[in-house]
């Protein structure tokens, strides 16, 4: 239904795609992945409105193909007075009203023939959308997402996460041939994320979803499109199988690379010997032999395999500390309460020690961000901050920390860096190089903006980090690098996150919101709670075995023990089948 053939496209300051090709076919649920700023959202724009872009290559879309779209930047319209049911069924209700209006007009009009044509056209449109069952279908979607309680609420009263799910339902019920969603999971709490998973898996049509969420990637898709370094790689299968295929390729390539390096080193020695002989013996045959060996060595070097999808450069995220604090309490919260239209949190009490890594977990709209912001501002009577604490803050509202009108370079001059060379050197660790440094913040992708926030947090050398949804918009490689940075950090972290993997891989324990207060929960309890709710009984044990085998493979590759790595890969393949 959709075919892209050798498509190339560039902005003045950046090449995005170089002869990329891929297809979408009926019933495929495709995850669209790639590092931040690689051009995923732009490619979606090209698919939706190709006339706006001057690109090379071919883009073939069936002229009858309808496309539905859910944006990553959708906001609740506070002026909407209609109910959730009316919002989801807007198109159905509109056509239904049109049919009623035509019938009313037919009672008095003499131009029955043209009205009959309009009536039939509206009826056909209604039938194509399964209009007779639209009320039942809306109820089914709401039940599937466990959101029937929202049916009669006004759209303006929804949280951001609830509104995103309602948008997804609305687009699905309009039955487009291809539905595109750009990071629909951002800021969803775990219950809503699970609802999104159910909606995706229940959808019968073609889906193209930009996501970096590992929970969705592992459980929702049967095709992967991976955009990296201007190239695209297609894979028919699950994300977990795609990663397995990359690992197999990595082992093969490393084994070849080791053999080639040994061969290159052997020829280096031969060339060195020939050069030494040539200085003593100037016979022409010696010179020809030397040139032949040098040319052969150059061919060996040129033959080295490049694999952009196997060895993707992770950003070098590090949280250094200027002033480490000995084991002591750095943040104390006592009798803290917060309310807006209603009471959200009441009598909250907890303490954070100087090396604690803590996740705050709770549904959307329960006051987590307000609590974190109050700790950062340190102007609340119920919050005490140790005098030796230096706090850094990453906001889910990126405009709170980054100034859109600044360039990247200007942003870091404002942050206290002295020279442009110092900035260029520093933020190259975060993937910002070349012309992009002169771009304004407003032109960056959501992932790139969060990367800049992480760079600023790191540059602060604070000993307490307050991170509000730090993994939002970040690609999976950066998420993993962030997990390692949090594990290695010598200070305290208080992090709001709905990313299950970041919590269990980087935090010591969680503070979970329960009945308008907060209670402490061990990581073991948290894992068991999540797995009991959303996975089968053996999933946790199998996943832990998988992770253990993957670590053994990494160690085997470091030791260039390729035989052991291959044996372990066979073991890993069996575990993946169970997942």
């Amino acid at each position: 239904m959709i075919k892209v053939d050798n498509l190339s496209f560039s902005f003045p300051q950046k090449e995005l795609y170089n002869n990329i090709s891929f297809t979408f076919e009926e019933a495929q649920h495709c995850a669209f992945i790639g590092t931040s700023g690689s051009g995923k959202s732009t490619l979606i724009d090209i698919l939706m409105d190709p006339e706006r872009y001057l690109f090379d290559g071919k883009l073939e879309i069936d002229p009858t193909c309808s496309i539905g779209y859910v944006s990553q930047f959708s906001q609740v319209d506070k002026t909407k007075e209609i109910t959730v049911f009316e919002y989801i069924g807007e198109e159905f209700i509109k056509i239904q009203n049109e049919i009623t209006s035509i019938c009313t007009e037919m009672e008095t009009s003499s131009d029955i023939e043209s009205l009959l044509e309009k009536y039939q056209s509206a009826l056909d449109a209604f039938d194509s959308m399964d209009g007779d069952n639209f009320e039942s279908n809306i109820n089914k979607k709401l039940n599937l997402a466990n959101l029937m309680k929202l049916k009669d609420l006004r759209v303006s009263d929804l949280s951001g996460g609830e509104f995103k799910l309602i948008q997804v339902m609305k687009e699905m019920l309009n039955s487009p041939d291809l539905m595109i969603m750009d990071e629909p999971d951002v800021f969803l709490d775990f219950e809503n994320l699970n609802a999104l998973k159910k909606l995706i898996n229940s959808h019968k049509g073609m889906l193209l979803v930009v996501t970096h969420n590992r929970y969705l990637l592992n459980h929702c898709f049967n095709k992967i499109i991976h955009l990296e370094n201007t190239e695209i790689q297609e894979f028919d299968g699950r994300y977990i199988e795609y990663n397995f295929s990359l690992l197999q390729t990595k082992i093969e390539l490393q084994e070849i690379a080791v053999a080639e390096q040994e061969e290159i080193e052997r020829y280096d020695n031969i060339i060195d010997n020939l050069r030494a002989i040539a200085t003593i013996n100037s016979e022409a045959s010696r010179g020809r032999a030397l040139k032949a060996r040098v040319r052969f060595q150059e061919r060996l070097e040129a033959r080295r395999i490049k694999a952009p999808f196997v060895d993707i450069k992770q950003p070098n995220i590090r949280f250094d500390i200027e002033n480490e604090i000995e084991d002591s309490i750095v943040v104390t919260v006592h009798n803290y309460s917060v309310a807006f239209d209603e009471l959200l949190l009441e009598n909250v009490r907890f303490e954070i020690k100087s090396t604690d890594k803590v996740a705050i977990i709770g549904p959307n709209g329960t006051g987590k961000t307000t609590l974190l912001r109050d700790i950062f501002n340190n102007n609340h009577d119920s919050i005490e901050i140790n005098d030796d604490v230096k706090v850094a803050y990453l906001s889910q509202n990126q405009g709170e920390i980054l100034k859109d009108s600044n360039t990247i370079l200007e942003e870091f001059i404002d942050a206290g860096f002295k020279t442009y060379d110092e900035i260029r050197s520093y933020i190259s660790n975060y993937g910002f190089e070349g012309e992009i440094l002169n771009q304004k913040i407003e032109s960056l992708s959501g992932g790139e903006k969060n990367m800049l926030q992480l760079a600023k947090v790191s540059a602060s050398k604070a000993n307490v980090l307050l991170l509000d949804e730090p993994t939002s918009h970040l690609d999976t490689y950066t998420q993993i690098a962030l997990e390692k940075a949090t594990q290695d950090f010598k200070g305290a972290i208080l992090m709001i996150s709905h990313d299950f993997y970041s919590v269990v891989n980087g935090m010591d324990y969680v503070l979970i919101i329960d009945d308008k207060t907060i209670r402490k929960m061990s990581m073991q309890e948290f894992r068991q709670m999540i797995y009991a709710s959303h996975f089968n009984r053996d999933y946790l044990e199998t996943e832990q075995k998988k992770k253990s085998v993957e670590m053994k493979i990494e160690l085997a590759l470091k030791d260039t023990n390729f035989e052991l790595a291959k044996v372990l890969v066979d073991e890993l393949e069996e575990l993946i089948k169970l997942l």
Side-chain angles (χ1 to χ4, degrees), residues 8-17 37-43 45-46 52-54 435 439 443:
S8 297
F9 177 74
S10 300
F11 287 127
Q13 70 275 23
K14 186 177 183 180
E15 182 182 20
L16 286 183
Y17 324 118
S38 57
K40 299 182 295 298
S41 294
T42 301
L43 188 54
D45 289 343
I46 292 173
R52 279 179 55 209
Y53 294 87
L54 291 172
E435 292 300 315
Q439 282 184 227
S443 71

Side-chain angles (χ1 to χ4, degrees), residues 55 104 110 155-156 196 203 333 342 363 382 401 489 515 554 557:
F55 56 82
T104 303
S110 58
V155 171
S156 57
L196 178 61
H203 188 64
V333 176
E342 60 176 313
S382 300
I401 303 299
F489 182 54
D515 194 22
E554 288 297 323
L557 291 178

Side-chain angles (χ1 to χ4, degrees), residues 540-557:
L540 174 58
E541 184 181 348
T542 305
E543 192 180 65
Q544 287 174 325
K545 287 179 181 176
K546 171 180 169 285
K547 192 169 183 180
S548 174
V549 172
E550 286 172 340
M551 290 175 67
K552 289 177 184 176
I553 291 171
E554 288 297 323
L555 291 172
L557 291 178

Side-chain angles (χ1 to χ4, degrees), residues 246-273:
L246 291 185
L247 179 60
Q248 288 179 303
T249 306
K250 181 178 180 179
I251 292 169
E252 292 168 9
L253 293 178
Q254 286 196 10
E255 191 171 15
I256 292 169
V258 167
E260 286 183 343
Q261 184 60 38
E262 289 172 354
E263 194 171 0
I264 287 168
E265 288 172 1
R266 187 164 65 84
Y267 272 89
D268 279 342
N269 291 331
I270 292 171
I271 289 168
D272 288 342
N273 289 336

Side-chain angles (χ1 to χ4, degrees), residues 26 38 150 158 224 340 379 389 396 463 482 496 539 545:
E26 198 170 339
S38 57
L150 303 180
L158 299 179
I224 306 296
F340 292 105
N379 57 7
V389 161
Q396 64 168 276
N463 46 28
L482 177 57
I496 297 171
Y539 192 94
K545 287 179 181 176

